Amino acid sequence: MPSNGSKALKLQFGLINHKNRYLTAEAFGFKVNASAPSLKKKQIWTLEQEDQDCQVVFLRSHLGRYLASDKDGKVSCEAETKENDCRFLIVAQSDGRWALQSEPYLRFFGGSADYLSCFAQTIGETELWAVHLALHPQASLLSVARKRYAHLAATEGEIAVDSNIPWGVDALLTLVFMDGKYCLKTSDSRFLSNDGKLSSESGRGTGYTLELKSGKLAFKDCEGKYLTPMGPTGTLRSGRCSKPGKDELFDLEESHPQVVFQSTNNRFVSIRQGVSVSANQDDETDMETFQMEIDKDSKKCMFRTNEGNYWTLVSHGGIQSTATEVGANTMFDIVWLGRRVALQANNGKYVCTKKNGQLSAVSDSAGEDEQLILKLINRPILILRGENGYVCHHKNSNTLDANRSVYDIFTLHFNDGAYHIKGACGKFWYVSNSGLVCSDGDTPEDFYFEFLEHGRIAIRGKNEKYLRGDQGGILKGDGEIADSSSLWEY
C-alpha cells in the first residue's frame, strides 16, 4: 500500500486562558504572559514528547525555548533543553480545555496578564486553557487503527475512512475553529455531525473538542463520545466510547497539491495506458491526477501517481511512472509562464509532447510543444496564510487583510491556466489601479498560481505583480519578486 509521502503534522497551537487571552512568549527577557487577544507568531507553542507512550509533554515557544516552572511556582521560558522543570502533564477536562500540571511539583499552571504561576494545588477556572490549533486548517485525516484516510463519500452523504491514499478533492478536510470547538468541513462545504450525517449548517452536533493522546488527536462530541470509523467503509461518526482508544485516534497530515496536466494536443497527461507518461486521455480520473511534492532544499518538484510511484527520466529522454524512490531523475524544474508551465528534466532538456502523446525531455527551449496547462484540483476552497497571518475580508472596506488570526474561506474557480477567487458574498477578487487587492468585483479577474516552495504558493495578478502582505497588514498586488511577504500557505 503506498504511503502518502507525508509525515504527521507537528502539533502547534495557541493556549487561551479564562479571560480569552493567549499565552505569549515575549522575545525580550524570555518572559511569558497571557495578554494577547489573537493568535500570531509569539502565541504559537509546539507540543513535544520524549516518546509516544510517555504522558510527559514539553511546550516549546516560537523562540525555541521551553516553558518551565520551579518548585516555588515561578514560571519562565528560557530553557534551551528539556530540563526537569520543563516537564508537564496535560489534564484534559470534559469541556475540552486543558489544565497543565508540573510533573515534578504536581502544581497547576494558570493566571492572567503578567501574573502567571504554577502553584495552584487544584484546578480552578484560572488554571484552564482552551486549545487553538495553529497549523493550516486544511489537511488529510488518517485513522491510526485502520491506517486508512478519510474522504467525502458524496453519494452516501458521509465521510468514509477507507482510502489507501488521500487522493483527489474528496480527501481534503478543513478544520473550522468556532466557539472554542472544531468542526470538520468537507470539500463540498458540509459539516460532519456526530451521527455521521453531513449538514450544510454548523450546530451543537457538529462541534468537537480536541484531545491529545500519545501525540495523536481524538475528536470528542457534545455528548462526551468520540469520532471513530464504523462498519466496512469506516463511516466517521461518534461511537460508544467515552475514553479514546486506538480506534478513536487520528493523525493530521499535510495535504499536498494534486494537479491535472493538459497538453497542446488538448488531451490530459495520464498513466492509464502503462508506465509511459502520455497526454492521450479525454477525461480526468485518478489516473490523470498527480501529486506535486516540492523538495524543501532544491525547490524542484516530484510528481507522484495514485499508485505511489514517481515520474522519472529514463534513457533517450523518456518519462515513465516507474520510480519507487526519490532521486535526481525524479526531480523537475517548473518554468512558470502565466497561463502555462514548462517542465525541465534532470538532463537539462524541456519536456515536450510527441506526436503519439508521449512526454519526452528532449527539447532545448520551451516553445509551444513544451507548454502544459496545470490545474490544481484539490483546493476548491482556499484559505491563505502568510508570514503575518491569514487573509481575511477587511471589516469596513472592500480590501483584504493579510495579518489576521482568523481566516475567511474563499472559493477557487479554474479558467484556462488561471484562477478566479471568490468571497463568501459571491464577489470576485481584483487588483485595483492603486495596487490594492479588492474583493467586491462583479466580474472575475485572472490570477496565476506558482508553486514555488514546499507548502507555499505565490500568486500573480493580471498586472504580472505578486500578491503580498504590506507592513500595515493590507493585501496588495504590487510585489516585484516572490519573497517571504508574497508566499502563502494554502
Side-chain angles (χ1 to χ4, degrees), residues 13-15 22-46 60-65 67 77 134 387-389 405:
F13 47 79
L15 290 171
Y22 285 82
L23 182 65
T24 302
E26 297 293 356
F28 180 73
F30 301 106
K31 289 187 165 58
V32 282
N33 62 54
S35 305
S38 64
L39 180 65
K40 301 277 181 70
K41 187 177 172 185
K42 290 180 183 176
Q43 289 76 39
I44 291 177
W45 298 83
T46 304
R60 187 162 58 83
S61 76
H62 67 105
L63 299 165
R65 305 294 180 107
L67 189 70
C77 194
E387 61 177 351
N388 296 313
S405 60

Side-chain angles (χ1 to χ4, degrees), residues 178 183-186 188-195 197-208:
M178 295 164 96
C183 302
L184 282 171
K185 196 174 195 180
T186 57
D188 64 356
S189 294
R190 289 188 285 172
F191 295 97
L192 177 69
S193 248
N194 57 352
D195 61 1
K197 296 189 169 70
L198 297 176
S199 160
S200 55
E201 302 289 324
S202 61
R204 183 170 179 263
T206 64
Y208 303 91

